[in-house]
Amino acid sequence: MNEEQRKQQSQIKQVNPSGEKDNLDRLKQKTSDDFIKYFETTYEAPNLRKAQKRGKQEVKYHDDFAIDEQFQGLGVGKKYLIRTYGCQMNEHDTEVMSGIFEEMGYEPTTEAKEADVILLNTCAIRENAENKVFGEIGHLKPLKVENPDLIIGVCGCMSQEEAVVNRILEKHHQVDLIFGTHNIHRLPQLVHNAHLSKERVIEVWSKEGDVIENLPKRRAGNIKAWVNIMYGCDKFCTYCIVPYTRGKERSRRPEDIIQEVRHLAAQGYKEVTLLGQNVNAYGKDLDIEYGLGDLMDEIRKIDIPRVRFTTSHPRDFDDRLIEVLAKGGNLMPYIHLPVQSGNSQVLKLMGRKYTRERFLELVGKIKEAIPHASFSTDIIVGFPNETEEQFEDTLSLYDEVGFEGAYTFIFSPRDGTPAAKFDDKISMEEKKERLQRLNAKVNAYSAEAMKQYEGQIVNVLVEGESKNNPDVLAGYTEYSKLVNFRAPRSAIGKIVPVKVTEAKTWSLNGEMVEETAEVK
Ligand code: SAH
Ligand code: SF4
Ligand code: F3S
């Protein structure tokens, strides 16, 4: 921990000075004064100007993560439960926190009633994401009343927001622990404090942490794995909270990433997804001339059947990466390329730093180099004052690219971001109607893409039983299409050829076949 971070670190102490058994009412009276002190000294709410000036402070790499002896064994005989919201970054953070819990002796549980510690790993990307979490905090209250020894914690992106921490402290006294996205490696200390002191423990560094290597991980599966290649985001799209909740861009060193992928390959994993909020900016903060293309060029030589990456920003998607992706092999030809809008004026207001034309040019270049590549995207409708014509540009761009899938969202104003202050005359009704029109198109394109597979043989990485029917196995194709099919359980964890018998809008049904000829 460096000096700066030490200054940023804070815990509310003395919330329950009498040391008696916890009592929700007493917490209510005590927290507000302490909280104000805490924020005055340690917390900065999202602030565009300050955040954009954060510049290029040196990132320190720590290879010596270890759980302090005093915390080892702390969890023996106890159980933990983590509920995860939001993106893959959060899913992977949950794997790290699970790893830490298990090294402390905790066992996992899926039953809230059995848990001694419950963490909500939260997402702040849209208002409804936050509402879900507040709903869940409410649901957990009776458990806390029943079992005052239960620790309820809130971590992840919402805990980086001042207003959220404020609201929890004022209204949700069942929450004992709040920590931020830069404080994950401090989990042993924080849980220890929460268990022992029965005080509310809060630690949110508003400045990003260093890069911590060698954190333990309990991966959710043994077939596919997430691998962080960088943290944070410096793009500051005007609608987005992520640059504030995740801090500035910090790349992991190539050798650490490559070693992790090699290790996963040796353990028998079949697929890795390289993770970052803006993976195309990978390496920009390193002192060497090295980017995502260079990294992928090394990773493709590792003996692991499938390599994916997410999320790409069109602005930084360079020729070197295209050239490497065109080498094929284990680099999957399905590219998630969020466009957000098909109108250059809206893109400008969003701060995306590319135009409709530039985006189409990029897609054209990728298709030329990799003719069999296909694309999915993210789209926001109802950006402040988006006109009907501007929205129609998004629809026509969708047609031009022929995306095979999209995550679509209605703009949600996020506190502290520039777009939240934009005046907006478009009604919610209108925005919902546009979303429906867009979704109809998205579904139609997906169904059409699926239809083309009927009668074809596809390679499926089998992940396990289908959610709805244990007699049916499920997995994904190279193009990330979900396939349900009958096959012996011994196929789980393997890549097998499946003949597609029926296409649905979002999935395929099929039958496993023996030969691999004409695989699509
Ligand atoms: N880093 C990725 C994705 C970040 S969040 C990228 O740049 O593409 C995932 C998606 O959520 C974004 O692509 C965007 O479409 C959506 N999103 C982000 N902020 C939003 C907001 N304030 N309102 C609605 N959707 C938003
Ligand atoms: Fe948010 Fe993605 Fe833009 Fe970064 S690049 S600010 S994560 S939308
Ligand atoms: Fe949500 Fe944070 Fe991911 S805001 S989308 S969990 S980076």
Side-chain angles (χ1 to χ4, degrees):
M1 186 191 318
N2 62 33
E3 199 43 42
E4 194 60 38
Q5 286 171 340
R6 200 163 281 139
K7 271 194 250 154
Q8 310 258 343
Q9 175 193 346
S10 170
Q11 290 169 33
I12 293 188
K13 293 227 166 91
Q14 302 297 309
V15 170
N16 183 359
S18 66
E20 287 166 26
K21 258 243 177 278
D22 219 338
N23 170 319
L24 300 182
D25 282 341
R26 196 170 46 243
L27 273 173
K28 196 189 310 184
Q29 293 156 16
K30 283 299 294 179
T31 38
S32 28
D33 285 354
D34 290 328
F35 177 62
I36 289 161
K37 248 185 267 154
Y38 157 76
F39 265 133
E40 280 174 352
T41 53
T42 68
Y43 190 85
E44 284 175 52
N47 178 317
L48 183 77
R49 228 173 284 140
K50 269 197 194 155
Q52 280 190 331
K53 273 199 219 145
R54 62 193 175 203
K56 278 210 161 197
Q57 299 99 318
E58 201 199 333
V59 171
K60 289 200 186 68
Y61 294 86
H62 302 265
D63 298 307
D64 52 355
F65 177 85
I67 293 177
D68 200 290
E69 235 171 75
Q70 58 171 318
F71 308 131
Q72 288 174 14
L74 190 75
V76 173
K78 295 197 178 97
K79 292 189 173 160
Y80 76 94
L81 167 64
I82 308 178
R83 295 236 156 94
T84 313
Y85 303 81
C87 65
Q88 296 94 334
M89 210 73 62
N90 258 16
E91 303 258 353
H92 190 46
D93 284 350
T94 289
E95 294 182 331
V96 171
M97 292 190 287
S98 301
I100 296 177
F101 271 125
E102 290 182 26
E103 283 207 358
M104 290 167 74
Y106 286 89
E107 276 175 47
T109 178
T110 49
E111 288 296 320
K113 275 196 187 129
E114 281 186 356
D116 299 278
V117 185
I118 300 177
L119 292 185
L120 304 183
N121 189 8
T122 63
C123 172
I125 201 82
R126 284 168 291 274
E127 197 184 351
N128 57 3
E130 297 203 347
N131 290 344
K132 262 193 239 163
V133 170
F134 279 114
E136 184 60 21
I137 293 175
H139 288 145
L140 293 176
K141 191 169 180 176
L143 280 183
K144 177 75 183 176
V145 172
E146 224 173 85
N147 172 16
D149 290 333
L150 168 68
I151 304 290
I152 299 179
V154 174
C155 58
C157 288
M158 279 170 69
S159 57
Q160 296 291 138
E161 290 180 284
E162 178 176 13
V164 168
V165 179
N166 236 329
R167 182 167 157 192
I168 293 175
L169 289 179
E170 277 166 19
K171 298 208 178 110
H172 301 281
H173 307 109
Q174 63 272 39
V175 174
D176 311 273
L177 169 63
I178 304 175
F179 62 96
T181 55
H182 310 304
N183 307 70
I184 286 176
H185 62 291
R186 301 252 317 137
L187 187 63
Q189 175 82 57
L190 296 172
V191 172
H192 172 76
N193 292 358
H195 267 313
L196 276 197
S197 65
K198 294 285 186 296
E199 295 166 355
R200 291 187 121 178
V201 175
I202 300 170
E203 187 175 287
V204 181
W205 289 339
S206 52
K207 231 178 74 62
E208 47 284 335
D210 296 336
V211 172
I212 321 273
E213 293 294 344
N214 300 329
L215 287 165
K217 293 171 190 96
R218 185 195 182 257
R219 298 190 187 267
N222 53 10
I223 299 169
K224 301 204 292 191
W226 310 113
V227 175
N228 275 127
I229 64 167
M230 60 187 301
Y231 305 96
C233 181
D234 284 345
K235 274 284 181 272
F236 292 100
C237 303
T238 56
Y239 50 81
C240 184
I241 192 87
V242 172
Y244 313 99
T245 64
R246 293 277 169 172
K248 73 180 170 107
E249 285 171 0
R250 290 149 284 148
S251 299
R252 285 179 72 198
R253 293 167 299 204
E255 59 272 25
D256 292 328
I257 299 167
I258 290 163
Q259 192 192 32
E260 186 174 343
V261 177
R262 281 217 180 100
H263 188 62
L264 289 164
Q267 287 177 290
Y269 280 85
K270 296 292 187 299
E271 178 174 314
V272 290
T273 301
L274 309 180
L275 282 186
Q277 282 301 346
N278 172 15
V279 286
N280 302 78
Y282 175 77
K284 283 189 170 175
D285 58 321
L286 297 172
D287 284 339
I288 46 173
E289 272 292 305
Y290 194 90
L292 182 63
D294 303 304
L295 181 68
M296 297 288 281
D297 205 20
E298 295 198 56
I299 289 180
R300 79 184 175 84
K301 293 172 194 148
I302 299 175
D303 186 17
I304 193 149
R306 291 182 174 186
V307 179
R308 303 182 192 275
F309 56 97
T310 197
T311 304
S312 273
H313 191 297
R315 160 90 180 188
D316 296 323
F317 207 112
D318 59 19
D319 292 350
R320 169 80 176 127
L321 178 62
I322 299 176
E323 170 203 322
V324 172
L325 291 178
K327 296 181 185 178
N330 57 1
L331 307 181
M332 294 295 103
Y334 192 63
I335 300 169
H336 186 62
L337 195 59
V339 65
Q340 314 299 357
S341 165
N343 176 272
S344 297
Q345 188 59 33
V346 174
L347 286 168
K348 190 164 185 195
L349 291 171
M350 287 177 162
R352 291 290 287 181
K353 301 187 178 76
Y354 54 84
T355 57
R356 174 191 178 96
E357 291 69 33
R358 272 289 317 275
F359 184 86
L360 286 170
E361 208 177 287
L362 173 64
V363 168
K365 236 199 266 182
I366 299 173
K367 281 184 178 168
E368 200 180 301
I370 317 162
H372 56 287
S374 55
F375 299 86
S376 60
T377 196
D378 291 352
I379 292 172
I380 298 177
V381 303
F383 191 73
N385 286 331
E386 180 192 55
T387 64
E388 171 60 24
E389 291 72 32
Q390 288 172 332
F391 169 66
E392 282 169 14
D393 282 346
T394 297
L395 295 177
S396 71
L397 179 109
Y398 206 95
D399 291 328
E400 263 188 68
V401 178
F403 290 110
E404 291 193 354
Y407 296 103
T408 57
F409 313 101
I410 292 181
F411 168 73
S412 170
R414 308 314 294 136
D415 239 8
T417 63
K421 297 186 202 89
F422 293 174
D423 154 66
D424 188 4
K425 295 196 180 65
I426 313 295
S427 71
M428 185 47 83
E429 212 183 334
E430 172 87 42
K431 293 183 185 202
K432 284 186 178 158
E433 192 262 339
R434 285 183 194 168
L435 184 69
Q436 273 181 11
R437 279 159 68 200
L438 176 61
N439 284 345
K441 190 178 275 296
V442 171
N443 290 347
Y445 271 90
S446 176
E448 194 186 308
M450 293 297 189
K451 200 89 195 148
Q452 287 171 16
Y453 289 105
E454 274 185 350
Q456 305 261 3
I457 294 169
V458 289
N459 274 332
V460 179
L461 172 54
V462 192
E463 291 185 18
E465 290 167 1
S466 149
K467 271 197 188 127
N468 306 324
N469 182 351
D471 296 334
V472 171
L473 300 186
Y476 287 86
T477 71
E478 284 156 14
Y479 290 85
S480 290
K481 307 291 183 256
L482 174 64
V483 188
N484 292 302
F485 61 101
R486 278 180 203 276
R489 289 184 57 86
S490 58
I492 295 174
K494 296 190 181 132
I495 296 176
V496 299
V498 174
K499 182 160 187 169
V500 177
T501 51
E502 186 192 3
K504 302 190 160 187
T505 305
W506 292 108
S507 65
L508 303 168
N509 290 337
E511 281 159 13
M512 195 168 120
V513 291
E514 293 309 318
E515 86 283 16
T516 44
E518 290 176 71
V519 163
K520 185 159 182 197

